[in-house]
Amino acid sequence: DQQVKQNSPSLSVQEGRISILNCDYTNSMFDYFLWYKKYPAEGPTFLISISSIKDKNEDGRFTVFLNKSAKHLSLHIVPSQPGDSAVYFCAASEETSYDKVIFGPGTSLSVIP
Amino acid sequence: KAGVTQTPRYLIKTRGQQVTLSCSPISGHRSVSWYQQTPGQGLQFLFEYFSETQRNKGNFPGRFSGRQFSNSRSEMNVSTLELGDSALYLCASSPLGGYGYTFGSGTRLTVV
């Protein structure tokens, strides 16, 4: 039973446009969310995070939105660049178990020049 | 500073054999987590070690085990390998666990 879901296995976006990656979770105890980016043959790298006390966090071209009532978060990349092509993992953890981070299956983003 | 180092990078084993994977965390990091990545399942949590103690364990059978040494280096062992164990095994370290993970590049295990 996946607690963190990314229902779109892949996404293609034109360079310069917005990329929106979605993530849903089932565990209402999750209160910290992270996005990781993974290039082929490399380990995932941390991208951006958000705590449940906020509904938006921004870092340059990357913005994460959290809708707690819907148990949904999304990562927006504006503008998208070819170097953003990678697999994006959504991850979550709960206050009582910060050392156990649960990852979603990932969404493969292709940014077309 | 050096990143998280996983060895070997690639491994081919036969069904029924056992395998040991190694992870050297970033210097000063005391928490090491292991993940299995497969195409359909994404990253699945195996276990997490902190100061030589297993603090958390995912939903994997007992064939999957690990340990951590006093220098924080960690090993993961899989016994009686099955074809379904073929995956990329990722190790991540962090100072205390929780956030701020840095991942290694992984060990690609193929079971034939």
Side-chain angles (χ1 to χ4, degrees):
Chain A
D1 178 36
Q2 283 192 333
Q3 298 185 65
V4 178
K5 302 176 185 182
Q6 294 176 258
N7 292 322
S8 299
S10 61
L11 178 68
S12 285
V13 172
Q14 286 292 129
E15 181 178 3
R17 307 292 291 269
I18 183 172
S19 294
I20 300 177
L21 295 97
N22 293 305
C23 176
D24 296 289
Y25 59 96
T26 58
N27 186 345
S28 58
M29 300 300 291
F30 285 150
D31 66 349
Y32 196 81
F33 305 89
L34 312 94
W35 284 93
Y36 283 80
K37 175 176 168 179
K38 184 180 185 299
Y39 291 115
E42 295 182 13
T45 55
F46 171 75
L47 195 57
I48 192 170
S49 64
I50 187 168
S51 128
S52 61
I53 62 173
K54 300 174 74 172
D55 55 18
K56 177 182 173 181
N57 189 25
E58 198 169 348
D59 184 2
R61 297 186 297 112
F62 302 89
T63 303
V64 56
F65 296 91
L66 175 62
N67 182 334
K68 289 186 292 292
S69 60
K71 294 193 182 70
H72 176 85
L73 63 156
S74 60
L75 174 68
H76 292 210
I77 306 173
V78 185
S80 301
Q81 299 173 354
D84 296 329
S85 297
V87 176
Y88 289 80
F89 291 97
C90 172
S93 64
E94 55 183 277
E95 184 179 11
T96 57
S97 187
Y98 279 149
D99 43 1
K100 183 176 177 181
V101 182
I102 308 299
F103 284 80
T107 295
S108 178
L109 173 66
S110 295
V111 180
I112 304 160
Chain B
K1 59 183 176 182
V4 177
T5 304
Q6 289 188 246
T7 57
R9 288 298 307 273
Y10 303 93
L11 205 49
I12 300 175
K13 288 285 189 179
T14 307
R15 260 186 311 176
Q17 287 186 311
Q18 74 161 11
V19 67
T20 299
L21 312 181
S22 178
C23 173
S24 293
I26 289 175
S27 178
H29 284 193
R30 295 166 62 189
S31 168
V32 174
S33 295
W34 288 88
Y35 292 85
Q36 181 196 65
Q37 186 189 359
T38 54
Q41 297 293 317
L43 282 164
Q44 295 190 85
F45 175 77
L46 279 154
F47 27 64
E48 186 255 357
Y49 286 88
F50 181 82
S51 292
E52 301 178 67
T53 300
Q54 186 182 87
R55 288 198 301 194
N56 271 294
K57 191 175 189 307
N59 296 323
F60 278 80
R63 301 185 296 107
F64 292 81
S65 62
R67 60 177 175 168
Q68 186 181 34
F69 302 95
S70 58
N71 62 358
S72 293
R73 190 177 71 85
S74 178
E75 287 182 348
M76 191 192 101
N77 185 274
V78 188
S79 63
T80 319
L81 283 166
E82 301 177 359
L83 295 178
D85 297 332
S86 295
L88 180 68
Y89 290 88
L90 288 161
C91 161
S93 76
S94 73
L96 297 173
Y99 317 132
Y101 283 109
T102 301
F103 281 81
S105 297
T107 294
R108 170 72 63 185
L109 172 65
T110 302
V111 182
V112 297

